[in-house]
Amino acid sequence: MQTKPGWMELIYGSVKSGKSRSLISKINSIKNAIVEEKFNRESLIIKHPLDDNKTKEKISSFSEEKIDATECGTTKDIVKLVTKHTKFIFLGGIHLFDKDIVPFSKALINNGVIIVATGLNLTSDGEPYNYMPQIMTLTDVYNIEKGECFTPGCGENAYRSVKINNHFEPRCMKCYYKTKKTPSLVVVTGPMFSQKTIELIAKEKEKKRKLEINPIKDYANEFMNKDISAIFKWSEDKRYNLEKIVSHDGSFIDAIPVENNSQIIDYLQKNKQVGFIGFDEIQFFKEPYPLIKWLLEKGYSVYATCLKKDFRGEGFGDVPKILTLATTIINKEAYCTRCQKQPATETQRFIIEDGIKKPANYNDPIILVAGKDLYTSACRSCHSVPGKPANKYDNILKLKQIN
Ligand SMILES: [Zn+2]
Ligand SMILES: [Zn+2]
């Protein structure tokens, strides 16, 4: 019998944003719902010793709430604590762990464990924190905590952290990037057939309607107006129409096909009115991470749809790093066409060999633009990728089931 997969919920955001408070309240809500003995048998409450190192063996929040936790400095330390009864792992400071936290988390989820973790997505330099891109790719439930910007008199929602002398403070996007307009990044992600594009189409149509009702009087003199948009797509994606983005239900918007970042930058330098940038399927673009960083540094509002995982279930190109920059992540699930029970988080690719449809091999090329003929959506249990390297933690967890 296949195990019903678990999932990962990530509570993330800037420093001083209330991540631990949110984790404590999550733990208490589960603790209060089940018998104590069962909770103690099935749950592990763990913290990295460097996560809030002032409170040893405790996860604590600013509002003085505290909860006992076992300190683990490495993935190996957590592995030792897991038993066949483990159903929940609450983890404070997932961003501080070594790289094995990624395959270990994958194995736990595949074995039915629910992980609820807190983590800092970005360093104070605005770069992804350790293995957070990979962790954010695995995540199913994104819970961003918004602190308050510490710039005197600001108080806007904070999504970034800055280092001042020897301490860290939260900052809003505008104060962090020192821009005239407030930058933002919405990422709509999920497997194929999860209705991502429809979100971008709806957003763009909303902007067009707003402009029809309130037309801009002095268009030529506008600067980075968030109601004036430019939507870009990858020039090799010709599935429906090169200059349109079309959803499965037939609704569409106009889009500018591009081959590289400099075409986008040229366009924006010639069209200074544009303040809102949309991207469809950003995983296909060449080097989209530096492009998105550049757009945020200039103050643009960016809205991007993407596959976060390729057909092998691995992070798709730059997307994992882009997830760490997002101010909002809209995670979409599809329907598992195989078991027809679980929500689908994976894209299943097929190959046709001698007229027989089979799952595509791990070593096949990553980009292959096709539709329902060669792709479907699948849950973690039904996703099949022959040739995929073994995850040693899958075996370790299986052994724990026997013992
Ligand atoms: Zn601010
Ligand atoms: Zn399934």
Side-chain angles (χ1 to χ4, degrees):
M1 205 189 85
Q2 274 180 335
T3 328
K4 197 176 159 197
W7 68 82
M8 160 91 82
E9 174 169 348
L10 184 67
I11 301 163
Y12 66 107
S14 72
V15 294
K16 301 182 173 67
S17 58
K19 296 184 290 295
S20 296
R21 185 188 57 221
S22 177
L23 180 63
I24 292 171
S25 109
K26 204 103 220 171
I27 295 170
N28 284 334
S29 70
I30 295 168
K31 207 171 182 175
N32 294 339
I34 60 178
V35 182
E36 198 181 342
E37 188 199 345
K38 185 174 157 74
F39 179 84
N40 293 338
R41 188 173 59 233
E42 295 184 350
S43 315
L44 291 174
I45 305 176
I46 294 164
K47 72 173 273 191
H48 192 283
L50 296 178
D51 191 48
D52 188 12
N53 55 14
K54 285 182 286 299
T55 53
K56 279 223 169 306
E57 314 260 324
K58 286 201 181 345
I59 293 171
S60 64
S61 73
F62 294 115
S63 44
E64 304 288 306
E65 295 159 290
K66 283 189 177 62
I67 211 156
D68 289 336
T70 309
E71 292 200 352
C72 290
T74 64
T75 301
K76 239 182 180 168
D77 294 341
I78 310 176
V79 176
K80 282 185 220 149
L81 298 176
V82 172
T83 72
K84 64 177 171 188
H85 302 294
T86 307
K87 284 236 161 55
F88 299 99
I89 295 184
F90 303 98
L91 185 56
I94 198 168
H95 61 294
L96 295 164
F97 281 87
D98 50 285
K99 72 173 191 308
D100 272 28
I101 196 70
V102 180
F104 180 51
S105 299
K106 272 189 197 175
L108 285 168
I109 297 168
N110 288 341
N111 280 276
V113 176
I114 295 160
I115 306 171
V116 185
T118 61
L120 269 179
N121 44 319
L122 295 169
T123 66
S124 55
D125 297 326
E127 292 292 336
Y129 208 119
N130 283 352
Y131 302 101
M132 287 305 275
Q134 293 86 333
I135 292 292
M136 293 188 79
T137 305
L138 264 185
T139 298
D140 301 290
V141 181
Y142 297 86
N143 235 323
I144 191 163
E145 293 294 334
K146 300 172 269 277
E148 207 174 271
C149 179
F150 271 28
T151 303
C154 179
E156 290 295 316
N157 283 340
Y159 297 94
R160 297 290 185 266
S161 313
V162 289
K163 192 174 183 189
I164 296 168
N165 302 322
N166 276 326
H167 72 286
F168 294 92
E169 286 184 7
R171 284 287 182 277
C172 72
M173 295 295 273
K174 205 172 165 183
C175 293
Y176 184 84
Y177 290 107
K178 301 184 172 71
T179 45
K180 285 200 188 84
K181 304 278 176 149
T182 304
S184 63
L185 170 62
V186 177
V187 175
V188 183
T189 193
M192 276 177 79
F193 311 107
S194 64
Q195 307 287 310
K196 299 179 296 295
T197 298
I198 198 100
E199 300 283 340
L200 175 63
I201 293 175
K203 190 82 195 167
E204 169 67 354
K205 289 198 166 179
E206 191 184 290
K207 294 212 172 280
K208 288 275 178 299
R209 261 197 306 274
K210 194 170 164 193
L211 283 183
E212 266 168 39
I213 297 165
N214 294 307
I216 292 166
K217 291 184 190 80
D218 190 9
Y219 189 88
N221 284 322
E222 284 292 333
F223 173 70
M224 250 191 226
N225 184 324
K226 305 277 179 172
D227 292 332
I228 303 174
S229 55
I231 311 292
F232 297 98
K233 67 180 280 191
W234 182 51
S235 58
E236 294 298 308
D237 183 359
K238 298 166 184 161
R239 276 176 291 184
Y240 295 98
N241 179 320
L242 183 59
E243 292 185 353
K244 287 193 182 349
I245 293 170
V246 184
S247 70
H248 297 290
D249 68 2
S251 63
F252 64 84
I253 51 171
D254 293 328
I256 307 158
V258 287
E259 280 165 34
N260 53 49
N261 289 352
S262 56
Q263 289 176 334
I264 297 165
I265 294 168
D266 281 352
Y267 180 92
L268 296 176
Q269 276 162 355
K270 284 181 196 131
N271 296 274
K272 299 211 182 290
Q273 311 87 343
V274 173
F276 179 88
I277 321 286
F279 293 103
D280 193 35
E281 310 260 23
I282 202 158
Q283 76 280 356
F284 288 147
F285 287 67
K286 282 189 194 117
E287 297 188 84
Y289 176 73
L291 173 70
I292 300 255
K293 272 197 83 175
W294 184 85
L295 291 168
L296 294 176
E297 283 159 11
K298 297 284 167 208
Y300 287 102
S301 284
V302 183
Y303 197 99
T305 73
C306 58
L307 290 169
K308 58 178 173 176
K309 297 178 201 167
D310 59 29
F311 78 97
R312 308 170 306 168
E314 311 281 10
F316 208 135
D318 273 1
V319 171
K321 279 157 75 186
I322 292 171
L323 291 174
T324 66
L325 296 177
T327 49
T328 304
I329 296 174
I330 301 172
N331 192 51
K332 312 275 284 185
E333 281 168 344
Y335 172 69
C336 180
T337 54
R338 308 188 98 190
C339 67
Q340 305 180 5
K341 280 183 196 140
Q342 317 278 356
T345 54
E346 313 299 316
T347 298
Q348 175 70 52
R349 188 197 285 174
F350 298 103
I351 40 165
I352 295 170
E353 248 174 32
D354 305 324
I356 301 164
K357 209 168 173 180
K358 302 180 192 168
N361 194 279
Y362 186 84
N363 297 313
D364 286 357
I366 289 167
I367 295 180
L368 172 70
V369 178
K372 269 186 272 198
D373 48 339
L374 291 184
Y375 287 104
T376 193
S377 43
C379 73
R380 284 180 166 105
S381 310
C382 296
H383 189 227
S384 164
V385 188
K388 188 167 180 159
N391 177 351
K392 68 173 179 189
Y393 289 105
D394 272 325
N395 294 329
I396 293 173
L397 290 173
K398 274 191 191 95
L399 281 172
K400 282 187 187 269
Q401 289 299 324
I402 303 161
N403 298 320

